[in-house]
Amino acid sequence: MSEASDVSPDKKTAGCGILNAVFGRKGFWPRRSTSVGSLPSIGGGGNNFNKPPTTPKRRRSGSDEGVFLEIGSSISDGPVRPIRNQLKTPHAHAHAQPQQRQQQPNSRKPQEEAAAKNQHAGIRKVPKEAIGISGELESMFVDHLKYKGKNELVRASSGNVMLYGNLGNLRQPGGVTENGKYPNSMMGNVVKKQEESGEEGVSLCRALSTRMDPEQLKMMGNEDYKNGNFVEALALYDAAIAIDPNKSSYRSNKSAALTALGRILEAVFECREAIRIDPHYHRAHHRLANLYLRLGDAEKAMYHYKHAGQEADHVDIAKVKNVQLHLNRCTDARNHGDWHALIKETKATMSSGADSAPQIYALQAEAYLKLYKHQEAEEALKNGPNFNTDDCIKYFGPIGFGNSLAIRARVDMAMGRFEEAVAKAERASRLDPNNREANNVMRKAKAVAAARSNGNHLFKAGKHYEACNAYGEGLEHDHCNSVLLCNRAACRSKLGQFEKAIEDCNAALNVRPTYSKARLRRAHCYAKLEKWEASMQEYEVLQRELPEDEEVRKGLLEAKAQLNKRI
């Protein structure tokens, strides 16, 4: 396979990885091979052997912007546009012309009535001049609409026919559920539900896909990729792979589309498969090296850059060496407990190219936790990638992913998400039973969750002193937990211990500066102590953060009024 036929995304795409020194999809078309002999030959047959083969040009209307159209109200009443880039068979004219000769003059009126009825039903009539596979596909499509309804199939802008709902994370008309999300899509992955589409729809899609030339599908996908229609390009590459799964260029192009959609780990798996099929495929090596770089796996990135031939240059090699340098410094900083240096080096590693490495973001979050900067730890994890859990286990291994999961559990506990912390810690412990950190987090999270639940129950019952003690028991396991500190401040405020309540609020805000609930309680305590200027300052900060909050508005007005009385 010529490399020139492979779509080429940005050569300098940065990559992502794993810190080994620190931490120990399929398309909706089924896989089916079609021999070359079963595909119609380009250029015709019969008396046309002497004609040179031609490739039909692909047309794209001005309104076609990579959007999948729902069949029905969006169907045009005008002439049918043939499905693009389909190969024509030499036998279609032989069937079309006899039908025209058999047509009688007195049959014109019934045909007009039938056409009007189809137009009213939203079904496009297949013109008689439609020939070859294009005409056959159009006929099958119209028949399916006529007997199965309008909601099972959609026509893609590429000219494909697809099952409605199998369009990945693309927003589909009329598909919003009660929770505001779109059905049959999750994390950008296509989720096919056989019972929703029906056996007939699946069979039709199989018939459509397996009658097409995979090279034509790849070229259509390349055009969509260049136009930024990555979801559609991915579907076309999947269709080509379903017909011929042993072409490395199809796998490599699919990897490019997945990368553009942010599905980095899936892209790695596809690139690996492309290289397995063709170990000397330079472009696939270069793409895989870019992906490994983004995942922070510098050694593997260097290996594949060296096997990428002229695809790689000195800039790529220099970038890998720079990432490796910062990774080594991260390891040294963590081993010595130099958390400030670790934060600095993790940021440098990301900016050098490892911008999608979950382990690096986890290291940064761990450093912030050690420095009691819980809010920054939360932000560090939010800035990182959110890969599928199974893909993470497959790529990083159970031990590597277990370590990362344990750090996430600690961040959840620091932010008061105790149930989530317990669940993550338990899973980390199952992945790596010898992980002491995961076991400690699980034990602490369960104790803190129990103390918070007991304290809340007592507080609601009006037993503020007992609730205060319950929250204190939880703080013995996690003495800087902002949620427990804020809850104990509420109890102390009810008991008239305003100074102690302010101390708890101060401690909570030290680890979470934007914790509005703790700031509101501190403003209330200042007001009770008649420290109106301090109270007004707190309420002014809250008003910027919560401009619609009525309690904040009233508190600020009262503080200003009391200050005016003193003047």
Side-chain angles (χ1 to χ4, degrees):
M1 178 59 60
S2 173
E3 294 177 22
S5 65
D6 190 12
V7 64
S8 179
D10 187 3
K11 182 179 180 182
K12 301 302 177 187
T13 302
C16 127
I18 179 174
L19 187 60
N20 290 326
V22 179
F23 291 120
R25 217 161 93 112
K26 301 178 181 179
F28 40 80
W29 281 294
R31 288 174 172 245
R32 177 173 175 180
S33 297
T34 302
S35 64
V36 176
S38 66
L39 295 173
S41 60
I42 301 177
N47 298 327
N48 297 325
F49 286 115
N50 295 327
K51 296 182 179 181
T54 59
T55 301
K57 293 184 179 180
R58 179 180 177 185
R59 295 185 59 191
R60 203 174 188 89
S61 67
S63 61
D64 183 4
E65 298 176 357
V67 180
F68 289 82
L69 303 178
E70 183 180 6
I71 298 302
S73 60
S74 62
I75 294 180
S76 170
D77 295 331
V80 176
R81 184 178 65 181
I83 301 216
R84 62 178 180 177
N85 283 352
Q86 299 299 318
L87 303 179
K88 298 182 179 180
T89 60
H91 308 292
H93 282 293
H95 295 292
Q97 293 181 1
Q99 293 178 0
Q100 295 175 0
R101 289 198 288 274
Q102 293 175 6
Q103 181 178 347
Q104 301 297 328
N106 58 1
S107 64
R108 182 178 183 84
K109 186 174 182 179
Q111 287 184 351
E112 291 178 354
E113 294 176 355
K117 187 178 298 184
N118 287 341
Q119 182 177 357
H120 179 71
I123 301 175
R124 294 193 291 184
K125 185 176 183 298
V126 181
K128 295 177 182 179
E129 60 270 17
I131 61 175
I133 291 181
S134 297
E136 179 183 354
L137 299 183
E138 189 72 20
S139 298
M140 296 172 68
F141 185 78
V142 172
D143 290 341
H144 189 83
L145 288 179
K146 187 182 297 181
Y147 299 109
K148 299 299 179 183
K150 304 177 184 178
N151 295 325
E152 288 189 6
L153 295 179
V154 295
R155 184 186 304 279
S157 63
S158 64
N160 292 355
V161 176
M162 299 181 181
L163 288 175
Y164 185 80
N166 283 353
L167 304 179
N169 58 4
L170 189 68
R171 296 191 175 187
Q172 304 168 36
V176 182
T177 58
E178 294 180 0
N179 61 0
K181 296 184 178 180
Y182 293 84
N184 297 345
S185 65
M186 184 177 185
M187 297 293 292
N189 295 325
V190 175
V191 181
K192 179 175 68 176
K193 294 188 177 180
Q194 188 85 357
E195 64 276 9
E196 292 181 2
S197 59
E199 293 289 343
E200 296 86 358
V202 173
S203 299
L204 177 59
C205 282
R206 177 182 299 177
L208 296 177
S209 65
T210 56
R211 294 294 298 276
M212 299 175 72
D213 181 1
E215 281 298 309
Q216 292 291 323
L217 288 170
K218 187 191 79 168
M219 289 192 299
M220 292 156 60
N222 291 356
E223 183 177 339
D224 283 319
Y225 182 94
K226 292 173 183 176
N227 292 330
N229 303 325
F230 304 121
V231 173
E232 189 176 359
L234 178 61
L236 290 166
Y237 296 142
D238 271 329
I241 293 171
I243 299 170
D244 189 354
N246 294 318
K247 285 289 182 66
S248 58
S249 63
Y250 304 164
R251 300 282 184 176
S252 179
N253 287 14
K254 180 180 178 181
S255 174
L258 288 167
T259 302
L261 292 170
R263 294 155 63 175
I264 305 296
L265 296 183
E266 295 174 74
V268 168
F269 303 147
E270 288 298 327
C271 250
R272 287 175 177 175
E273 185 65 15
I275 293 173
R276 185 195 65 80
I277 295 171
D278 183 1
H280 303 291
Y281 192 6
H282 291 167
R283 183 161 295 175
H285 278 290
H286 188 264
R287 281 182 179 152
L288 186 55
N290 286 339
L291 292 170
Y292 279 137
L293 183 66
R294 295 187 65 183
L295 290 167
D297 201 332
E299 292 182 2
K300 290 181 180 178
M302 181 67 77
Y303 172 85
H304 287 282
Y305 277 136
K306 290 180 178 179
H307 286 75
Q310 296 181 354
E311 292 285 336
D313 55 24
H314 66 281
V315 176
D316 296 321
I317 303 300
K319 188 179 292 185
V320 175
K321 291 181 178 179
N322 194 29
V323 168
Q324 185 63 66
L325 174 65
H326 290 297
L327 286 174
N328 293 338
R329 291 176 179 175
C330 285
T331 303
D332 293 339
R334 187 175 186 269
N335 290 339
H336 291 90
D338 190 348
W339 308 117
H340 291 285
L342 181 57
I343 292 171
K344 177 183 176 181
E345 291 303 325
T346 52
K347 290 180 178 179
T349 305
M350 297 170 194
S351 62
S352 297
D355 60 351
S356 299
Q359 305 283 27
I360 305 300
Y361 288 94
L363 273 179
Q364 189 178 100
E366 182 186 25
Y368 279 123
L369 287 174
K370 294 291 186 179
L371 296 172
Y372 301 107
K373 296 182 177 181
H374 297 171
Q375 184 172 309
E376 287 84 348
E378 167 87 342
E379 292 173 355
L381 291 183
K382 283 185 177 180
N383 292 333
N386 187 20
F387 295 138
N388 178 274
T389 300
D390 293 335
D391 289 339
C392 286
I393 295 174
K394 180 179 177 181
Y395 182 86
F396 297 108
I399 295 177
F401 184 64
N403 277 306
S404 178
L405 205 58
I407 294 174
R408 290 180 177 272
R410 291 174 58 190
V411 173
D412 282 336
M413 185 171 68
M415 302 301 292
R417 298 188 294 265
F418 302 119
E419 291 76 13
E420 295 180 30
V422 171
K424 286 185 174 69
E426 286 179 343
R427 182 161 193 177
S429 183
R430 289 195 300 270
L431 290 171
D432 182 12
N434 297 323
N435 191 326
R436 295 181 179 180
E437 181 66 21
N439 293 329
N440 290 335
V441 173
M442 181 172 59
R443 177 179 55 80
K444 288 183 178 181
K446 288 182 177 180
V448 172
R452 196 271 301 269
S453 178
N454 186 33
N456 290 352
H457 178 74
L458 293 169
F459 186 88
K460 291 178 181 178
K463 300 179 180 179
H464 301 126
Y465 183 79
E466 291 83 354
C468 186
N469 291 335
Y471 294 132
E473 291 175 2
L475 288 168
E476 292 178 1
H477 299 280
D478 187 8
H479 68 281
C480 286
N481 191 278
S482 58
V483 173
L484 294 182
L485 287 167
C486 187
N487 287 6
R488 190 170 70 175
C491 294
R492 287 177 167 176
S493 178
K494 291 289 185 180
L495 295 171
Q497 302 173 0
F498 300 116
E499 294 288 353
K500 289 185 177 181
I502 290 174
E503 291 177 3
D504 282 342
C505 290
N506 290 340
L509 289 168
N510 283 338
V511 295
R512 290 178 63 185
T514 62
Y515 191 14
S516 58
K517 187 177 290 186
R519 190 175 298 278
L520 181 61
R521 285 182 178 156
R522 187 166 71 177
H524 175 74
C525 291
Y526 281 141
K528 290 295 183 179
L529 293 172
E530 296 185 354
K531 296 181 179 181
W532 298 112
E533 186 175 357
S535 179
M536 184 183 70
Q537 291 175 355
E538 298 290 354
Y539 280 122
E540 286 177 342
V541 174
L542 288 166
Q543 191 175 48
R544 290 192 294 268
E545 297 175 354
L546 308 168
E548 304 297 329
D549 191 282
E550 185 64 19
E551 184 179 0
V552 172
R553 188 185 67 83
K554 289 182 178 179
L556 180 58
L557 289 175
E558 182 183 2
K560 288 182 177 180
Q562 293 295 333
L563 280 175
N564 290 333
K565 289 180 180 180
R566 293 186 177 182
I567 297 176

